[in-house]
Amino acid sequence: MVLIGPSDRLVLWDLRSAFAEPLELPGHRPRTFALAFAPGRRLLASGGSDGAVRLWDLARAGALPGELQGHRSRVTSLAFTPDGWILASAGADSAVRVWNLRTPGAPPRVMRRHRGAVWAVAFAPDGHTLASGADDSTLVLWNTRRPAETARVLRDSAGWLFALAYDPRGRWLASGGADGGVRVRRLERPEQVEHALRTEGRPRRVLSLAASPTVGAWRPATIPPARCGCGGWTNPVPVVCVQARAELPCSHGTVGLGCWWWRARTSAFSSGKLSLSAAGLPCC
């Protein structure tokens, strides 16, 4: 698991050993906005205010990161394909960039359909269908093999879209945004919202969504507070990236660290709520 701590350092814990010393990496200045693990690889991508994307090889302790340049403003979201070799980056410059990590140094494919800052990107399990969401109330579905001809622009009533997630079979797409709701679309007819889900309490922004690869229960790992080195943290952790299985879709709110989950059963969704701080995430 990796999260952003004070001074924007990246702090990594091995959840298999809660008592192991965390690994710290320098973040982006003045702020890190996006993190993503490459599936099946010891690779972490980070992006932030400086417009750069850094690639951290976690198998080589102390190695300098690779760096991808291209965004003209802050990098807001990152997503890998299931094979871990294609990376999509979203930016406040209204662009989505797709990088092929098998060809280092090659320029990215730049895709533009949004008129505002792009805050979320997510790859479907097929590895070439990409969703992006922006603060202009648009959700765009791309085929990264032919983006110019296949982009589908959809309107979303959430306003600013901050979070996107596909289910593991690639049949559903969930989106969350500034109105505190989560909308679930069937990809056969994405123009239609099949389910509109609400978080409890007063409206809040939905900042993060993820889908479970299994139907088992979520068992959060506990990191002892004395070991987490987070003394003095008084605000919610802005970005948490967990490379683990969870019972989701799950959304992180801006007030506290509440996590809501919805379990799909055919056309019905059951819901619940978890308190992330009570579950032992390293925040004080």
Side-chain angles (χ1 to χ4, degrees):
M1 180 182 72
V2 56
L3 57 80
I4 300 172
S7 302
D8 255 23
R9 71 182 190 272
L10 307 182
V11 187
L12 289 83
W13 278 267
D14 186 344
L15 297 184
R16 296 168 298 181
S17 178
F19 291 92
E21 289 293 332
L23 173 65
E24 293 190 13
L25 302 172
H28 299 254
R29 294 298 182 95
R31 187 175 180 184
T32 300
F33 283 98
L35 299 168
F37 282 107
R41 304 177 62 195
R42 297 273 294 168
L43 184 70
L44 172 68
S46 66
S49 301
D50 54 7
V53 176
R54 294 177 187 163
L55 300 175
W56 302 90
D57 185 350
L58 302 181
R60 300 169 57 203
L64 294 176
E67 194 163 285
L68 306 175
Q69 294 283 352
H71 284 283
R72 300 172 186 171
S73 185
R74 61 184 178 272
V75 175
T76 54
S77 183
L78 297 165
F80 281 98
T81 52
D83 66 4
W85 286 99
I86 303 295
L87 174 66
S89 60
D93 56 2
S94 305
V96 175
R97 286 171 167 79
V98 178
W99 312 81
N100 188 341
L101 303 185
R102 290 190 176 91
T103 54
R109 175 170 288 175
V110 182
M111 306 188 305
R112 298 183 185 273
R113 280 294 186 275
H114 297 285
R115 296 184 179 181
V118 186
W119 286 97
V121 285
F123 271 108
D126 62 18
H128 60 81
T129 302
L130 177 72
S132 60
D135 62 13
D136 59 357
S137 302
T138 59
L139 169 63
V140 180
L141 300 178
W142 312 83
N143 181 335
T144 56
R145 296 171 178 171
R146 302 186 309 276
E149 303 91 22
T150 60
R152 301 179 67 178
V153 181
L154 310 175
R155 302 295 298 180
D156 194 291
S157 59
W160 289 29
L161 287 174
F162 293 115
L164 297 167
Y166 287 94
D167 80 290
R169 297 182 181 179
R171 298 177 301 178
W172 302 85
L173 173 65
S175 61
D179 67 345
V182 175
R183 292 161 182 81
V184 183
R185 292 174 166 85
R186 190 186 297 273
L187 292 181
E188 296 171 353
R189 45 180 184 273
E191 297 83 3
Q192 179 180 342
V193 175
E194 295 279 340
H195 303 281
L197 312 173
R198 298 294 302 180
T199 55
E200 298 175 6
R202 64 188 179 88
R204 66 194 70 198
R205 292 181 291 177
V206 175
L207 298 180
S208 177
L209 289 167
S212 172
T214 68
V215 295
W218 188 39
R219 298 184 178 276
T222 299
I223 298 176
R227 306 281 299 179
C228 73
C230 59
W233 294 17
T234 57
N235 297 319
V237 179
V239 180
V240 179
C241 183
V242 182
Q243 192 178 34
R245 294 180 175 180
E247 179 65 41
L248 297 169
C250 176
S251 63
H252 295 183
T254 59
V255 179
L257 281 175
C259 178
W260 289 260
W261 57 266
W262 295 271
R263 178 182 292 144
R265 288 292 181 269
T266 62
S267 61
F269 278 72
S270 60
S271 64
K273 181 183 178 182
L274 297 170
S275 171
L276 296 193
S277 56
L281 278 177
C283 59
C284 301

